[in-house]
Amino acid sequence: MAKEFSEELRDYGRIYMYRFKPDYELYARAIDAYPAKIKSASAIMLMIQNNLDPAVAQHPEELITYGGNGSVFQNWGQYLLTMQFLAAMSDEQTLHMYSGHPMGLFPSSKDAPRVIITNGMMVPNYSQPDDLERFNALGVTQYGQMTAGSYMYIGPQGIVHGTTITLMNAFRKILKENENSRGKIFLTSGLGGMSGAQPKAGNIAGCLTVCAEVNPKAAIKRHEQGWADILIDNMDVLVDRVNASKENNEVLSIAFIGNIVDVWERFYDENIFVHIGSDQTSLHNPWSGGYYPVDLSFDQSNELLKDDPELFKKKVQESLRRQTNAINKHASRGTYFFDYGNAFLLEASRAGADIMADNEIDFKYPSYVQDILGPMCFDYGFGPFRWVCTSGRAEDLDKTDEIALNILREIKATAPKEIELQMNDNIIWIQDAKKNKLVVGSQARILYADAEGRIKIATAFNNAVRSGEISAPIVLGRDHHDVSGTDSPYRETSNIYDGSQFTADMAIHNVIGDSFRGATWVSIHNGGGVGWGEVTNGGFGMLLDGTKESEIKLKNMLFYDVNNGIARRSWARNKEALYAVKREMERTPGLKVTLPNIVEDDLLDALYE
Ligand SMILES: NC(=O)c1ccc[n+]([C@@H]2O[C@H](COP(=O)([O-])OP(=O)(O)OC[C@H]3O[C@@H](n4cnc5c(N)ncnc54)[C@H](O)[C@@H]3O)[C@@H](O)[C@H]2O)c1
């Protein structure tokens, strides 16, 4: 095998152990189809196979689920061994996963998590992007992204919901009271794993989306899947169509095959006003094909990347400077541009682009968390809660939608005005979820909810599993991109301004706290979303099997999983979080959190006069 593996390393830059790739199909089967001794292990096997399903995963052959390099395992040998361990495990054992490598089963207890996952955890000084390439090629670490390496990816609907909420709120920020978003332009890029959700979210938010994608295959795939309404590959045609659609106040999503830099520049020359702008190229991974430079075709770029990576890097940086200049010109006309967590601002600044604010500390543009998701959702505890029906039956998913909708309506009836908007948006989302045909792979649903919503919905699911109203257990989870799960100074924690956005205590507390409060599996990763070394993020999975034990665990763990982050955000003096944590302490006597005493700015300023 040594010869074979060295050939893989030479040809692909990684050892994938293709000889161990199973010849059976990979997809989420019904839970009873898995040959495990315990239900929780079967559920994890189901989630792993869903993450590797070719209909769900971006590069299934390379065991990559999404985000360009988000791996479930490093090689097929690890996959097989892990499935074998899961099949054999009892409910008094825990499987420890080291960046895709199953270290083994260790004795534990019924209350312990069944699986503990770490991905890409490095000694801090060895966490530069080049280190990842080297250590990943050596086979000792992997980039787990967020939900890829934690078996919690549920296809693009996860990101559709977050993008819809972000866009709706972005429009709320810029539109006058009597205006709506029809015919208003949202210009962005990327039709890949996650970015491909943008046109669909644009349609749900009711605007005119133009999404540029350099890779024709990716653009065609998204169009064929119905995630973008029309496909255009000629700039003149694009300009004419956009002008006409604007005129007619159309709600339309256009997948444009071409480089985003060209679109920003041409729209400026054509005087096409862009209302909202963003970017979702894979800039967390700028030097290995995450971002394609302007003036080179897709194929030319790939050649250059292989033949002269240093020149490729220069071209990427030149292109980022050009893109920034064009965006700046649009912004001077009034475009609202925001960073959607792909490290655009960070990499543009590293490329020397004109992107810094006058104080030379901040960027000219906000991240979507600073302006939108942070203060409007995370600080109140709203985040991307999700579930999977392990029966694989669409009727079960319908039932869960109905249960969740009823609970949200119930909560809304007495909810304070501070969270009314969020409750309304989430009610609309869950009401229309089936109609929007969001399921790809397992029968799964995402729903932004706060601690109260998550706990009440999960309790009702557990009861429905017990009564047989839902035919098989439910897996609960969430994106790592949430209230408490992720420390990421340019994304999830970018709306924390007391300096602690560069610490990672919250994510670590979260994963440890969840693990002894009842999670079925927990994970902690380096590098999801914005890039290796830039973020620490964690998540959980929890099986609801209808038992009383499940009920105790879900209440205990979901409460901490949300309120840990609210407490930390309130300690950073975020006023929405301060409100939320005080409200929670009134309802929950066991919760006692250190509250900040707000000092008047004048008093502090006087100290430094
Ligand atoms: N904030 C969030 O919640 C969030 C969610 C999803 C993704 N992201 C980030 O967004 C980025 C994209 O994620 P993804 O899963 O879609 O990655 P991806 O690699 O699958 O897709 C990116 C796409 O951009 C295209 N592209 C690259 N350069 C281009 C250019 N100059 N012009 C036009 N198209 C270009 C690529 O061909 C690719 O298809 C990642 O950095 C990810 O971390 C953030």
Side-chain angles (χ1 to χ4, degrees):
M1 284 188 283
K3 186 165 170 291
E4 185 183 308
F5 291 167
S6 77
E7 277 166 11
E8 286 187 3
L9 188 60
R10 194 191 56 220
D11 294 347
Y12 312 123
R14 299 287 183 274
I15 298 171
Y16 292 115
M17 302 192 183
Y18 280 120
R19 63 160 53 222
F20 295 124
K21 183 170 185 294
D23 48 19
Y24 54 78
E25 278 184 78
L26 284 160
Y27 66 94
R29 291 154 172 81
I31 192 165
D32 291 337
Y34 291 94
K37 291 186 190 154
I38 51 172
K39 280 270 178 278
S40 46
S42 296
I44 297 169
M45 293 166 99
L46 178 163
M47 298 296 284
I48 289 175
Q49 290 201 330
N50 190 54
N51 270 29
L52 293 171
D53 178 346
V56 174
Q58 195 180 14
H59 307 297
E61 293 285 317
E62 285 96 39
L63 302 113
I64 286 172
T65 303
Y66 75 96
N69 56 350
S71 307
V72 191
F73 299 101
Q74 298 177 61
N75 59 60
W76 289 101
Q78 293 178 341
Y79 164 80
L80 279 189
L81 285 171
T82 303
M83 294 301 264
Q84 205 173 54
F85 277 127
L86 287 168
M89 93 187 310
S90 78
D91 62 4
E92 295 193 332
Q93 285 174 309
T94 295
L95 175 62
H96 287 259
M97 300 294 301
Y98 281 44
S99 285
H101 170 67
M103 192 56 80
L105 290 173
F106 290 76
S108 59
S109 75
K110 283 195 174 65
D111 289 330
R114 296 281 66 84
V115 181
I116 305 270
I117 304 164
T118 56
N119 279 305
M121 298 315 290
M122 303 300 290
V123 173
N125 272 350
Y126 300 87
S127 202
Q128 299 301 313
D130 282 352
D131 295 322
L132 166 65
E133 297 305 326
R134 201 152 49 98
F135 291 115
N136 190 208
L138 266 176
V140 294
T141 194
Q142 73 173 3
Y143 195 80
Q145 275 283 15
M146 295 189 151
T147 52
S150 60
Y151 327 143
M152 196 39 79
Y153 187 68
I154 55 162
Q157 72 162 305
I159 187 64
V160 177
H161 191 17
T163 313
T164 304
I165 286 182
T166 306
L167 261 182
M168 280 170 35
N169 285 309
F171 275 113
R172 281 183 186 129
K173 283 178 89 73
I174 63 157
L175 293 180
K176 301 195 183 78
E177 236 171 56
N178 55 351
E179 286 182 326
N180 65 38
S181 50
R182 298 184 74 88
K184 309 270 183 321
I185 296 180
F186 166 44
L187 173 60
T188 185
S189 59
L191 287 168
M194 304 292 266
S195 47
Q198 295 174 103
K200 188 152 195 139
N203 283 5
I204 300 172
C207 65
L208 172 56
T209 305
V210 179
C211 191
E213 166 59 62
V214 281
N215 179 352
K217 261 199 195 153
I220 292 166
K221 183 172 163 193
R222 287 300 178 203
H223 178 240
E224 280 174 359
Q225 288 174 339
W227 288 70
D229 297 327
I230 60 171
L231 186 68
I232 295 179
D233 63 359
N234 175 296
M235 185 66 88
D236 295 331
V237 176
L238 177 69
V239 167
D240 289 348
R241 182 64 205 249
V242 165
N243 279 326
S245 302
K246 250 182 105 163
E247 195 64 24
N248 297 327
N249 286 333
E250 259 183 282
V251 175
L252 180 78
S253 53
I254 304 174
F256 174 67
I257 302 179
N259 199 295
I260 183 62
V261 182
D262 290 323
V263 184
W264 279 110
E265 291 182 345
R266 181 70 187 270
F267 277 21
Y268 186 79
D269 295 341
E270 297 287 340
N271 250 322
I272 296 177
F273 181 70
V274 175
H275 296 80
I276 292 179
S278 194
D279 190 273
Q280 251 190 82
T281 55
S282 269
L283 274 165
H284 71 275
N285 179 28
W287 320 130
S288 309
Y291 180 92
Y292 283 81
V294 65
D295 289 344
L296 291 176
S297 72
F298 182 62
D299 291 338
Q300 284 169 334
S301 284
N302 285 333
E303 284 297 308
L304 186 64
L305 179 58
K306 210 164 83 195
D307 299 341
D308 191 346
E310 272 311 304
L311 182 60
F312 181 83
K313 186 172 171 177
K314 272 200 189 123
K315 295 264 177 212
V316 166
Q317 293 197 316
E318 264 169 43
S319 190
L320 279 170
R321 289 195 290 271
R322 242 172 89 175
Q323 185 171 342
T324 306
N325 287 342
I327 291 168
N328 289 346
K329 289 204 268 179
H330 280 272
S332 67
R333 285 181 179 161
T335 297
Y336 173 62
F337 183 87
F338 64 86
D339 182 299
Y340 195 60
N342 65 337
F344 174 81
L345 296 173
L346 183 65
E347 288 306 331
S349 72
R350 287 174 177 167
D354 177 16
I355 200 97
M356 301 310 291
D358 291 341
N359 65 10
E360 289 180 16
I361 298 169
D362 299 320
F363 297 120
K364 276 186 201 293
Y365 306 104
S367 97
Y368 70 114
V369 175
Q370 281 177 303
D371 256 23
I372 299 169
L373 224 52
M376 293 177 178
C377 293
F378 290 165
D379 288 353
Y380 288 118
F382 286 88
F385 182 54
R386 57 184 56 184
W387 61 88
V388 173
C389 299
T390 65
S391 64
R393 296 176 55 198
E395 307 85 80
D396 278 341
L397 187 61
D398 293 347
K399 190 79 225 165
T400 58
D401 284 348
E402 189 189 316
I403 292 174
L405 175 63
N406 289 338
I407 285 175
L408 289 193
R409 282 187 175 142
E410 231 173 79
I411 298 176
K412 195 197 147 203
T414 55
K417 68 172 183 351
E418 282 81 354
I419 58 168
E420 214 173 276
L421 209 62
Q422 289 82 343
M423 295 305 301
N424 285 343
D425 287 352
N426 297 328
I427 285 173
I428 294 171
W429 168 264
I430 196 74
Q431 228 167 8
D432 293 348
K434 187 180 165 91
K435 191 179 79 196
N436 285 325
K437 297 200 181 84
L438 298 157
V439 169
V440 177
S442 60
Q443 292 293 325
R445 185 67 74 222
I446 177 163
L447 173 66
Y448 268 62
D450 62 359
E452 182 184 7
R454 298 184 208 205
I455 292 168
K456 285 188 171 159
I457 290 169
T459 309
F461 287 172
N462 197 46
N463 291 340
V465 172
R466 187 183 313 143
S467 69
E469 212 182 336
I470 293 175
S471 70
I474 300 277
V475 168
L476 288 187
R478 59 165 172 75
D479 193 352
H480 295 197
H481 169 264
D482 196 4
V483 182
S484 319
T486 295
D487 281 300
S488 180
Y490 299 103
R491 211 167 93 168
E492 284 80 352
T493 41
S494 60
N495 74 322
I496 288 180
Y497 302 100
D498 66 348
S500 69
Q501 68 270 36
F502 296 101
T503 65
D505 296 307
M506 176 178 73
I508 299 297
H509 275 274
N510 219 65
V511 73
I512 296 173
D514 282 0
S515 73
F516 64 79
R517 286 183 172 87
T520 309
W521 71 102
V522 288
S523 60
I524 186 85
H525 301 184
N526 168 20
V530 281
W532 188 252
E534 306 285 358
V535 45
T536 304
N537 63 91
F540 74 88
M542 176 178 256
L543 188 72
L544 300 182
D545 59 5
T547 58
K548 193 71 201 156
E549 290 74 31
S550 267
E551 186 175 329
I552 294 167
K553 286 178 176 178
L554 80 86
K555 286 184 172 157
N556 207 354
M557 197 212 76
L558 290 175
F559 181 87
Y560 176 74
D561 187 61
V562 178
N563 280 296
N564 169 37
I566 299 181
R568 181 259 169 105
R569 288 164 187 276
S570 114
W571 182 237
R573 302 189 296 277
N574 288 11
K575 72 174 186 337
E576 292 81 4
L578 196 50
Y579 165 85
V581 89
K582 281 183 182 163
R583 181 169 176 244
E584 197 57 76
M585 280 198 281
E586 277 166 22
R587 294 193 288 203
T588 312
L591 178 71
K592 304 235 179 292
V593 164
T594 317
L595 295 176
N597 290 303
I598 308 294
V599 180
E600 296 294 329
D601 284 349
D602 291 353
L603 205 147
L604 283 181
D605 291 345
L607 293 177
Y608 296 97
E609 262 170 9

